[in-house]
Amino acid sequence: MITGITGQDGAYLAKLLLEKGYEVVGSMRRTTISDPIRLMELGIAGDVELCDIDLFEFSNIVRALERVKPDEIYNLAAQSFVSLSFEQPLYTGEIDGLGVARLLEAIRAVVPSVRYYQASTSEMFGKAQQVPQSETTPFYPRSPYAVAKLYAHWMTVNYRESYGLHATSGILFNHESPLRGREFVTRKITHGLARVRAGELPRLDLGNLDAQRDWGFAGDYVDGMWRMLQQESPSDYVLATGRTTSVRRFVEMAAAAAGFSLAWRGKGLDEVGIDTRTDKVIVGIDPRFFRPAEVDFLIGDAGKAKAQLGWEAKTTLDALVAMMVEADMRRVREGIRGI
Ligand code: NAP
Ligand code: G4F
């Protein structure tokens, strides 16, 4: 069972598990637009059984577990956009924090022998206390999202220690793909630049260009999730590439892949990215995209995952950027809007 199957990781994980011969049940919450577009994009929408779970509601979790009796549960469902969590801190806490407590309680009551994966995050390191960050680095969350995820992480550890659940917390650094939501910075950049290139958008406005992230490819990371649940004993694992890159550098790489010749001019809020071939501004700064508290720098140490799971990030950042730009240029060319 995968909660949050309509999201980026849900789609890649479902594909991986189907390829391994699993029967996959994916949970969705009811929304007005209910097509699982990412599953459709991967060509697996018809191969997955869908059921309704909203993590706000205890009773629908219990009923789904009683009916499905899963062997493994990957809890990927969350309000996952850090920026929105500053606007909706209580909702984010309800779903990303208490939602996990509801799920763990339901598991304890209905399927205590299930193997459980909790989607924890490098955002929990926040104002990072060590470089690079590993399973033993102290946490310092910097957003309501990260605070809620930290509660969920500790609840996962607590239910493992208190009740012997096979509950694992995967502390994943940022992972991206052509299926990434368009609100996250990498996809916003590749999608935005593809639209600028096609003349659909005059320029792309961003926030803090100097934040640095350890960006990997989501396809590699879902394999790490699966490996975690195949271990005899549950534990906590960091998944990361071990390299870090600024948003500014990501823009430069994506611009080059989209056929622009980008040069930066100006400073602070007046900084712009110019296409030197046309002298047009293609990137600008909009303070609306700054956050009340920022996570400036993340870089992960996935040594434990390598040693115990045999997992390593395989995809280079160059390959990831090329894959995302190519997908967005094609979608814009073909007029594909949904994803
Ligand atoms: P995503 O694309 O935003 O997907 C989140 C999923 O959660 C969607 O299917 C969404 O459904 C669902 N969801 C939201 N609210 C829900 C609710 N109240 N009840 C049930 N389902 C709900 O996120 P992702 O990038 O795939 O990430 C998967 C998980 O890993 C998330 O928990 C995220 O916080 C965590 N994580 C992600 C990264 C990363 O870099 N991608 C890194 C570390 C941790 P709708 O389609 O209906 O919105
Ligand atoms: O792409 P982002 O929104 O991702 P963020 O905040 O790192 O969170 C993502 O990764 C986490 C793992 O560490 C997940 F847990 C979480 O669910 C999510 O998937 O922002 C990355 C950086 C930030 O520093 C942000 O300030 O990019 C900076 N940024 C600059 N301009 C922007 C923008 N971010 C967004 N979304 N939009 C901008 O215009």
Side-chain angles (χ1 to χ4, degrees):
M1 175 180 273
I2 302 173
T3 71
I5 195 146
T6 55
Q8 168 188 261
D9 291 5
Y12 283 108
L13 180 63
K15 188 162 194 296
L16 179 88
L17 297 182
L18 288 168
E19 283 164 3
K20 291 186 184 296
Y22 279 64
E23 256 176 68
V24 178
V25 178
S27 80
M28 288 172 69
R29 57 181 174 153
R30 275 219 175 278
T31 50
T32 44
I33 304 164
S34 57
D35 282 344
I37 47 176
R38 295 186 171 85
L39 300 180
M40 290 157 77
E41 175 105 351
L42 294 184
I44 55 169
D47 303 329
V48 170
E49 185 193 324
L50 295 172
C51 72
D52 285 340
I53 291 185
D54 193 315
L55 286 185
F56 192 74
E57 173 70 49
F58 184 67
S59 61
N60 71 166
I61 301 173
V62 170
R63 270 194 299 277
L65 294 187
E66 281 173 344
R67 189 177 64 75
V68 177
K69 295 256 162 52
D71 303 301
E72 297 177 2
I73 298 178
Y74 297 85
N75 179 34
L76 309 183
Q79 188 305 90
S80 74
F81 190 29
V82 173
S83 201
L84 183 67
S85 77
F86 289 101
E87 298 300 318
Q88 300 185 355
L90 304 184
Y91 177 75
T92 304
E94 270 295 347
I95 305 308
D96 299 8
L98 284 179
V100 174
R102 290 183 193 101
L103 186 50
L104 287 166
E105 266 301 297
I107 285 171
R108 191 159 80 89
V110 182
V111 281
S113 59
V114 79
R115 294 189 172 198
Y116 176 78
Y117 173 86
Q118 170 58 23
S120 294
T121 165
S122 53
E123 284 292 304
M124 300 187 311
F125 297 122
K127 191 170 179 180
Q129 303 294 293
Q130 275 173 7
V131 177
Q133 297 89 46
S134 73
E135 295 80 3
T136 55
T137 301
F139 298 116
Y140 193 141
R142 292 273 281 173
S143 63
Y145 166 80
V147 172
K149 282 282 187 177
L150 190 51
Y151 169 80
H153 166 76
W154 281 119
M155 285 297 273
T156 303
V157 173
N158 184 255
Y159 273 54
R160 175 165 84 215
E161 293 176 354
S162 304
Y163 307 117
L165 296 191
H166 194 294
T168 282
S169 178
I171 306 172
L172 271 52
F173 282 64
N174 299 49
H175 44 279
E176 319 294 313
S177 75
L179 299 185
R180 186 63 144 148
R182 289 198 299 243
E183 64 275 40
F184 301 98
V185 78
T186 56
R187 181 78 201 293
K188 181 175 170 184
I189 293 166
T190 60
H191 181 249
L193 288 178
R195 292 188 65 211
V196 174
R197 189 96 190 112
E200 278 186 14
L201 187 73
R203 63 184 241 177
L204 168 68
D205 284 321
L206 296 168
N208 177 11
L209 295 179
D210 295 316
Q212 287 174 260
R213 290 290 183 279
D214 180 329
W215 279 302
F217 171 50
D220 292 344
Y221 285 57
V222 297
D223 172 58
M225 295 177 190
W226 174 77
R227 285 172 190 247
M228 288 179 210
L229 290 206
Q230 309 320 304
Q231 300 305 296
E232 199 53 37
S233 307
S235 190
D236 306 321
Y237 296 95
V238 160
L239 298 185
T241 69
R243 66 181 180 233
T244 192
T245 308
S246 65
V247 173
R248 180 188 301 282
R249 179 70 196 130
F250 193 98
V251 175
E252 292 164 0
M253 294 170 78
F260 292 110
S261 169
L262 184 84
W264 299 104
R265 304 262 193 281
K267 279 210 158 57
L269 292 180
D270 296 325
E271 184 166 13
V272 287
I274 294 192
D275 180 17
T276 58
R277 292 189 190 131
T278 58
D279 234 23
K280 280 194 180 146
V281 172
I282 56 168
V283 183
I285 306 294
D286 185 333
R288 280 183 307 147
F289 299 117
F290 289 122
R291 295 173 182 184
E294 178 62 288
V295 171
D296 293 315
F297 177 87
L298 291 174
I299 182 167
D301 169 3
K304 179 177 172 185
K306 186 174 180 190
Q308 294 187 13
L309 309 177
W311 182 89
E312 259 185 303
K314 294 197 191 97
T315 309
T316 65
L317 187 61
D318 278 329
L320 176 63
V321 171
M323 186 195 317
M324 292 178 71
V325 169
E326 194 278 322
D328 277 324
M329 302 265 284
R330 177 182 53 76
R331 287 173 184 142
V332 169
R333 226 177 17 250
E334 295 173 2
I336 298 167
R337 304 261 167 231
I339 203 148

